[in-house]
Amino acid sequence: ILRTSSPPPISRRLPVTCQHLISPRGRNGVRRGDGGVGGQAQGVRGMWQGGRAAQVPVQGCLLLRGGVPAGVVERAPCGVYWDLKRKVEKARGRVGRDNVAVGTAAYELGELFHEQDRMSDAEEWYLEALRIFRLVSGEGNEGVALVSSLLAGVYSAQGRQEEALKMYEQALRVFRRVYGDGHGSVAETLQNMGCVLYMQGLYDRAMATNKEAHEMYRRLYGDNHEQVASVLGNMANVLKAQGKPAEAMAMEEKALDIKRRALGPDDDAVASSLLNLGSSYKEQGMFAEALARYEEGLGIVRRNHPERNVLEGKILLGIGSVYAEQGKLEDALGMHKKAHRIFLKTLGPETTEAADALSGIGAVLSDQGKHEEATEAYEEALAVRRRVQGSENEAVADALVNLGICKENEGDVGGAVECLTEAQGIYTRRGE
C-alpha cells in the first residue's frame, strides 16, 4: 500500500522551522525602517500623514517579527489592550465606523495581539483595519499592502497557507508598483512567500522565491546582514526537504555565523538558527551535537523571555525528539507534553504546532506500548491537520501513516489498511 520510501513517524522527522518572516515591531517595540534606499518607513499612521508605509515581514514556519521569532516578545499589560479598545470605540463614536482614525486604532490593536501570538484576535482587528483602509484609499495603497502582509502572517501561523499566499501576492504587486524591486519591502514579501511555499511542499518555487529575496538583500545590505542570514536559513530548510542535508547544514552554519556577528550571541534570531541547526544534526544521527544546539537556543530564549512562547515550544519538541531516539521515553514524553501546553497557550489548539506536539506524544506512547493512548493522540493530531492544513496536505498523509502503524500494533488491521490506503492516495495525487 505504501510508497516505496514512506516517511518515518512525524516525531522522528521533526518539522523544520522556516525561519524568517518579519513583523510588526523591531526590538524594544520600535518599528524598524523599511529597508529601502533613502528614508525610514512610517507605518500605517505615517501613510495617512503623508508618509509611506513599510512592509513588515511576518513569517511562515517560524515567524519573526522585526527579526524576532514570533511568540518571544514580552506580553503587554492587560491595561494596554483595554486602552486600545477604548481608543477604537471613542474614534467610532466621534468620526464614525469608516474613518481612517478607527482603522489606525484597529491596526494598532491587531498588531499588539499579533505580537502576543493571539492570532484570532489579531485577525479580527487586522480585518477591520483592512476593510477601512480599502474603503478610504483603494486596493493599490501601500498601507493596504502592509496590513495585508500582517494578516498573511496570521493566516500562515494558523496553517491557512493558501490564504496567506494570496495576501502576500497582493501585497507584493503593490510594493513593486510603488517602490520597484530595489526595496526591502519587496525582498521581505518574497521571503515570506518563500516560507509559505515551503510549508505547502512547493520546494522548487520556494527556493526560487528565496533566491530572489537573497539577491535583493545582498544588494541592499551586503553579505553580512541579519536579513541575508534569515533567508539563508529558509533556503537551508528547502534543501533539507529536497534531500540535500549536507548542503543544508553548511548553509545553516553560515547563517548562524552571520547572525552571531550581526546581532550578538544572545539574540532570539540566533536561537531560531540553533533550533534549525539542531534539527539538521538530529537528522544526521548526531544526537549529542543536536542536543547541544537545542540547549544553547533554549537558554537564550529563557534568559530573554521568562514567559512561555512559541520558540521555546519548538525547541522543546526538538529536545524531545532526540530523547526519543536515545530511548529516554519518559523524558521525551515530558518534553512533548510541555511543548503542547505552550502551543495551546500561545497559538491555540487549531495549529500545526499543536498537531506536531500531539504527533510526538503519540509516537512516544506507541514506543512505550501504550497503543490505545497513542491512537487517541494520533487521531487528535490528524483531525487538527485536516482542519488546518487541508485533507491533501503531505502532513495529513504522514499523520495517517503514523495512525495506521499504531492501529496495526493495536491489532486493528482493517483500520490500519484504511489509513495507509488514504495516505497512499494523497502521496500519489501529490506526485510523490
Side-chain angles (χ1 to χ4, degrees):
I1 295 174
L2 291 177
R3 57 182 179 174
T4 54
S5 58
S6 59
I10 296 278
S11 69
R12 302 295 185 263
R13 193 170 64 130
L14 192 69
V16 184
T17 60
C18 192
Q19 292 190 89
H20 305 282
L21 268 133
I22 313 163
S23 154
R25 298 185 187 276
R27 292 172 185 79
N28 302 319
V30 179
R31 181 176 295 285
R32 305 190 320 166
D34 60 11
V37 177
Q40 296 284 317
Q42 299 181 49
V44 166
R45 184 179 291 104
M47 172 186 72
W48 304 114
Q49 297 174 351
R52 53 194 173 89
Q55 156 68 349
V56 185
V58 187
Q59 174 178 320
C61 312
L62 173 58
L63 292 165
L64 293 191
R65 307 218 179 103
V68 180
V72 299
V73 295
E74 295 181 7
R75 297 190 179 275
C78 293
V80 176
Y81 301 120
W82 290 111
D83 287 345
L84 284 174
K85 284 185 176 180
R86 282 195 295 268
K87 183 177 179 181
V88 172
E89 293 306 319
K90 285 181 179 178
R92 283 173 174 167
R94 188 176 66 254
V95 296
R97 297 184 63 86
D98 298 333
N99 189 277
V100 67
V102 179
T104 301
Y107 159 78
E108 290 175 347
L109 191 54
E111 185 181 52
L112 183 61
F113 283 127
H114 196 169
E115 288 173 346
Q116 308 306 318
D117 292 311
R118 294 173 59 175
M119 298 303 175
S120 296
D121 292 322
E123 178 186 4
E124 176 187 350
W125 291 102
Y126 281 151
L127 284 171
E128 174 65 0
L130 190 60
R131 181 190 68 79
I132 294 170
F133 295 158
R134 280 172 170 166
L135 186 65
V136 170
S137 60
E139 291 283 352
N141 184 275
E142 57 267 40
V144 172
L146 166 63
V147 180
S148 296
S149 296
L150 294 172
L151 188 57
V154 170
Y155 289 156
S156 183
Q158 293 174 326
R160 298 158 62 182
Q161 305 306 336
E162 285 291 339
E163 295 169 82
L165 187 60
K166 288 178 183 177
M167 283 288 182
Y168 281 135
E169 288 171 342
Q170 291 173 17
L172 181 64
R173 286 193 292 271
V174 175
F175 286 132
R176 276 189 155 143
R177 178 181 58 79
V178 173
Y179 298 133
D181 276 344
H183 197 274
S185 300
V186 176
E188 289 163 357
T189 307
L190 284 166
Q191 180 180 357
N192 293 350
M193 288 174 60
C195 219
V196 171
L197 290 165
Y198 162 80
M199 287 186 282
Q200 290 179 306
L202 302 172
Y203 301 131
D204 289 341
R205 285 181 62 191
M207 181 59 79
T209 305
N210 277 311
K211 282 182 176 178
E212 188 176 358
H214 180 247
E215 288 305 311
M216 286 188 190
Y217 283 141
R218 291 181 63 204
R219 291 196 299 270
L220 285 167
Y221 309 128
D223 288 331
N224 294 312
H225 190 275
E226 60 182 294
Q227 296 292 78
V228 175
S230 75
V231 78
L232 285 173
N234 288 355
M235 291 164 68
N237 291 337
V238 178
L239 288 170
K240 257 189 279 196
Q242 292 175 323
K244 302 173 183 178
E247 293 177 52
M249 196 176 298
M251 193 167 285
E252 286 174 333
E253 293 280 11
K254 182 177 180 181
L256 178 60
D257 182 61
I258 292 172
K259 285 183 185 178
R260 288 192 198 277
R261 285 187 277 111
L263 303 172
D266 288 325
D267 193 272
D268 295 309
V270 172
S272 72
S273 279
L274 287 164
L275 167 61
N276 278 358
L277 192 56
S279 178
S280 293
Y281 278 116
K282 176 195 158 290
E283 289 170 8
Q284 298 300 305
M286 303 168 69
F287 300 133
E289 291 84 352
L291 278 177
R293 300 310 186 278
Y294 285 142
E295 288 168 357
E296 183 183 355
L298 186 63
I300 292 170
V301 173
R302 285 180 169 171
R303 284 194 300 275
N304 291 346
H305 310 282
E307 190 164 340
R308 302 303 184 213
N309 58 72
V310 174
L311 183 55
E312 180 181 0
K314 289 176 181 286
I315 295 173
L316 291 174
L317 276 188
I319 294 173
S321 70
V322 173
Y323 285 161
E325 294 286 359
Q326 294 175 324
K328 302 175 182 178
L329 299 182
E330 281 300 322
D331 291 337
L333 186 61
M335 289 292 177
H336 287 303
K337 286 183 174 180
K338 187 178 291 187
H340 187 237
R341 289 194 296 271
I342 290 172
F343 295 145
L344 291 179
K345 179 180 179 182
T346 56
L347 296 175
E350 296 293 300
T351 60
T352 57
E353 287 82 2
D356 292 339
L358 286 167
S359 295
I361 290 168
V364 175
L365 290 169
S366 181
D367 287 346
Q368 291 177 321
K370 301 175 182 177
H371 300 304
E372 185 175 345
E373 295 176 56
T375 297
E376 290 178 4
Y378 278 140
E379 286 176 339
E380 187 177 351
L382 175 61
V384 172
R385 291 195 188 281
R386 286 193 196 276
R387 291 191 295 268
V388 171
Q389 296 175 281
S391 294
E392 292 298 307
N393 192 281
E394 181 184 15
V396 171
D398 292 346
L400 284 162
V401 171
N402 288 343
L403 181 57
I405 292 170
C406 196
K407 284 181 177 291
E408 182 183 10
N409 291 333
E410 276 191 290
D412 182 4
V413 176
V417 170
E418 183 179 344
C419 289
L420 297 176
T421 301
E422 184 181 352
Q424 181 62 36
I426 295 171
Y427 293 136
T428 300
R429 288 189 293 275
R430 291 176 60 86
E432 298 176 4

